[in-house]
């Protein structure tokens, strides 16, 4: 699909962009930078500037996990009755939601890198919006899969 390639290029561009940004800012960064933000976006822990690479490694792991998940959607077995088959509406919906979550995670971590290098607090709504941006697509996937399972179950129940 065309969108799969676009998402792959965008996510790789975000990955490469975050690494380039870290390397360009390395000499201007103070030796101690924020390494953790609390639930309302305030800095609550500082660490050495080399800890910024841990966020980059997290971005890389998230990227690899989502690419693996997206390539193996058709191997998901939700229940005994429902199997996600390629090129079905459920497959496309799950893929779209995973893509949204993937890009939200990557952009969020890139924002964390920028604010860590700047040494400033995150915007107040950022943590809540990040969590909402991840939970909402997950809830849509779960509800859709449960609905499909319920329909399949009752389809076999009506036959007997």
């Amino acid at each position: 699909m065309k969108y799969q390639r676009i998402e792959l290029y965008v996510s790789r561009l975000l990955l490469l962009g975050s690494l380039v940004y870290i390397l360009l800012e390395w000499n201007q960064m103070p030796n101690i930078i924020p390494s953790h933000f609390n639930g309302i976006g305030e800095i609550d822990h500082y660490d050495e500037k080399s800890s910024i690479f841990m966020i980059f490694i997290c971005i890389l792991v998230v990227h690899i996990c989502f690419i693996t998940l997206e390539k193996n959607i058709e191997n998901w077995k939700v229940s005994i009755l429902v199997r996600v088959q390629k090129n079905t509406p459920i497959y496309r919906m799950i893929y779209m939601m995973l893509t949204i979550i993937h890009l939200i995670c990557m952009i969020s971590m890139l924002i964390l890198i920028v604010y860590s290098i700047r040494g400033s607090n995150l915007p107040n709504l950022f943590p809540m919006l990040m969590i909402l941006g991840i939970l909402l697509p997950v809830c849509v996937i779960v509800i859709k899969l449960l609905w499909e399972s319920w329909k399949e179950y009752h389809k076999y129940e009506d036959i007997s």
Side-chain angles (χ1 to χ4, degrees):
M1 290 194 315
K2 182 174 93 172
Y3 297 111
Q4 289 173 327
R5 284 196 310 265
I6 291 171
E7 182 231 349
L8 189 62
Y9 292 141
V10 168
S11 62
R12 286 185 180 166
L13 185 65
L14 288 171
L15 192 63
L16 183 63
S18 62
L19 181 62
V20 167
Y21 183 71
I22 290 170
L23 295 176
L24 288 175
E25 294 293 321
W26 186 259
N27 291 331
Q28 287 79 22
M29 268 195 275
N31 288 330
I32 303 295
I33 61 168
S35 62
H36 191 267
F37 299 88
N38 64 17
I40 57 172
E42 296 172 345
I43 301 167
D44 63 357
H45 190 264
Y46 292 87
D47 214 339
E48 295 179 15
K49 72 179 181 180
S50 59
S51 68
I52 199 79
F53 287 107
M54 288 307 295
I55 299 174
F56 177 76
I57 290 170
C58 287
I59 294 174
L60 184 61
V61 168
V62 164
H63 176 71
I64 291 169
C65 288
F66 274 103
I67 295 300
T68 305
L69 265 175
E70 291 164 358
K71 286 185 178 180
N72 294 309
I73 293 174
E74 62 270 6
N75 294 330
W76 291 12
K77 279 190 178 175
V78 181
S79 70
I80 297 171
L81 300 173
V82 176
R83 185 176 176 91
V84 179
Q85 296 175 353
K86 205 167 192 163
N87 296 324
T88 59
I90 186 97
Y91 176 89
R92 289 189 294 275
M93 192 270 311
I94 291 173
Y95 188 86
M96 182 182 67
M97 293 298 151
L98 284 175
T99 300
I100 291 169
I101 296 168
H102 181 186
L103 293 177
I104 287 172
C105 286
M106 302 255 327
I107 291 168
S108 299
M109 288 185 192
L110 182 57
I111 290 170
L112 286 174
I113 287 174
V114 170
Y115 277 89
S116 289
I117 290 173
R118 283 186 184 174
S120 60
N121 290 332
L122 289 169
N124 287 343
L125 291 176
F126 177 76
M128 186 177 66
L129 291 176
M130 186 178 86
I131 290 170
L132 246 159
I134 293 169
L135 286 180
L136 191 62
V138 167
C139 290
V140 169
I141 290 171
V142 169
I143 290 169
K144 182 70 173 167
L145 289 173
L146 288 172
W147 175 252
E148 292 294 321
S149 252
W150 186 81
K151 281 186 353 189
E152 284 291 317
Y153 176 76
H154 285 290
K155 183 172 84 175
Y156 289 114
E157 192 176 78
D158 291 340
I159 294 173
S160 42

